[in-house]
């Protein structure tokens, strides 16, 4: 069973039923995976007569959103106090992109107790590999680290493609060569065609990366770390969003670099 504001025909063709409300979903499913952009989109589903909490049943909520580890821990504490422990919440953000989701090869980063992780692994294993990173919030910290690497790598790919193209090298040939060396990583293979064809319409939107880097910055502040690259990434992606490119695929970094030239 699933809940969404709009019907998902592809799920229903596989036999899933659409719940009438979050409450209806909670009454039929004790374990719920939440896949929303962030916690502000989840919070309205936790209040009101038709909310998840209105079902008055035990709930195991797996938050697949890329969110703030600090705010997630605050929400878990609040739910535990308000429901006398009836609602358990863990973080389970994923990476692997649309390609990984379709292939069932996502990496799922879980923060919680050993028992909670075992329960999540049983439920989520068809989607990919479940990794227990540590206590509540650890999954979100790991996702923030992943996003830093992706943000830096994607920006480098965009700049590389533009530099090569402006020097008379066809993007397809350049990326083919790069793909045969140390630079031949998964992200290059996933975004190569977009960079070659200037097609930035599919996949995760670039604006979400700015949000995710903000969460990484929170982690840096809370741990007393002093990163060198993170401030530059934040500044670059803020500039990209301000340029009106935030609603396109992350590969739009190529267009961003071109416009800055």
């Amino acid at each position: 069973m699933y809940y969404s504001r709009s019907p998902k025909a592809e799920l229903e063709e596989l036999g899933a039923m659409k719940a009438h409300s979050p409450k209806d979903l909670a009454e039929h499913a004790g374990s719920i995976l939440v896949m929303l952009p962030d916690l502000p989109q989840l919070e309205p589903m936790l209040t009101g007569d038709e909310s998840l909490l209105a079902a008055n049943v035990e709930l195991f909520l797996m938050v697949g959103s890329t969110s703030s580890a600090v705010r997630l821990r605050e929400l878990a504490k609040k739910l535990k106090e308000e429901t006398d422990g009836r609602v358990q919440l863990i973080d389970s953000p994923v990476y692997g992109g649309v390609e990984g989701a379709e292939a069932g090869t996502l990496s799922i980063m879980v923060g919680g107790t050993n028992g909670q992780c075992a329960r999540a692994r049983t439920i989520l294993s068809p989607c990919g590999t479940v990794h227990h990173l540590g206590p509540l919030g650890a999954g979100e910290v790991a996702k923030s680290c992943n996003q830093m690497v992706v943000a830096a790598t994607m920006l480098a790919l965009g700049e590389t493609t533009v530099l090569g193209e402006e020097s008379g090298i066809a993007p397809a040939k350049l990326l083919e060569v790069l793909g045969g060396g140390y630079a031949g990583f998964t992200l290059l293979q996933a975004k190569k065609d977009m960079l070659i064809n200037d097609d930035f319409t599919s996949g995760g939107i670039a604006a979400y990366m700015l949000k995710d880097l903000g969460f990484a910055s929170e982690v840096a502040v809370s741990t007393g770390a002093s990163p060198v690259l993170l401030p530059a990434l934040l500044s670059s992606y803020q500039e990209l969003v301000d340029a009106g490119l935030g609603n396109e695929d992350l590969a739009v970094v190529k267009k961003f670099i071109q416009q800055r030239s």
Side-chain angles (χ1 to χ4, degrees):
M1 180 171 277
Y2 75 97
Y3 174 73
S4 174
R5 294 186 186 278
S6 57
K8 301 295 181 183
E10 63 273 22
L11 292 178
E12 294 179 15
E13 288 172 2
L14 295 172
M17 295 185 297
K18 183 179 185 300
H20 302 299
S21 65
K23 178 183 178 182
D24 183 35
L25 177 64
E27 289 175 339
H28 288 87
S31 300
I32 297 174
L33 172 63
V34 179
M35 296 299 290
L36 293 167
D38 199 355
L39 296 181
Q41 287 76 39
L42 170 60
E43 288 163 356
M45 297 178 64
L46 300 173
T47 58
D49 295 338
E50 293 298 318
S51 70
L52 291 170
L53 301 188
N56 198 31
V57 296
E58 290 191 358
L59 281 179
F60 183 60
L61 295 180
M62 298 165 285
V63 179
S65 316
T66 301
S67 305
S68 161
V70 174
R71 294 173 201 166
L72 182 116
R73 293 184 189 113
E74 291 172 351
L75 177 60
K77 180 180 178 182
K78 177 183 175 184
L79 290 178
K80 183 177 180 180
E81 292 173 350
E82 290 181 353
T83 66
D84 293 325
R86 176 171 57 85
V87 176
Q88 296 184 56
L89 184 147
I90 66 168
D91 48 319
S92 59
V94 304
Y95 72 82
V98 175
E99 301 83 5
E102 292 176 345
T105 57
L106 292 171
S107 288
I108 306 165
M109 298 159 281
V110 172
T113 66
N114 289 335
Q116 289 171 330
C117 180
R119 184 173 178 179
R121 181 173 285 113
T122 300
I123 298 165
L124 301 178
S125 58
C127 304
T129 303
V130 175
H131 303 274
H132 187 197
L133 275 300
L136 184 67
E140 298 293 1
V141 172
K143 181 60 184 288
S144 293
C145 294
N146 176 78
Q147 294 303 84
M148 285 179 62
V149 174
V150 171
T153 304
M154 199 65 238
L155 200 57
L157 279 174
E159 293 188 355
T160 296
T161 308
V162 172
L163 287 175
E165 208 166 25
E166 292 299 318
S167 301
I169 305 174
K173 289 188 176 297
L174 177 62
L175 295 178
E176 180 183 358
V177 170
L178 295 179
Y182 283 149
F185 35 75
T186 303
L187 188 61
L188 186 154
Q189 300 305 322
K191 301 297 184 182
K192 180 172 65 176
D193 289 343
M194 295 183 187
L195 293 169
I196 292 171
N197 300 317
D198 292 335
D199 176 12
F200 314 128
T201 57
S202 61
I205 65 173
Y208 287 163
M209 182 57 75
L210 180 60
K211 168 182 73 75
D212 298 348
L213 291 171
F215 298 146
S217 184
E218 280 187 6
V219 174
V221 170
S222 66
T223 58
S226 184
V228 174
L229 184 58
L230 180 55
L233 290 172
L234 274 167
S235 176
S236 298
Y237 281 91
Q238 182 65 66
E239 185 181 340
L240 183 151
V241 171
D242 291 344
L245 301 174
N247 288 326
E248 299 193 73
D249 184 88
L250 195 57
V252 79
V253 293
K254 178 186 175 183
K255 184 177 179 180
F256 168 60
I257 298 301
Q258 288 172 326
Q259 289 184 355
R260 296 181 88 245
S261 302

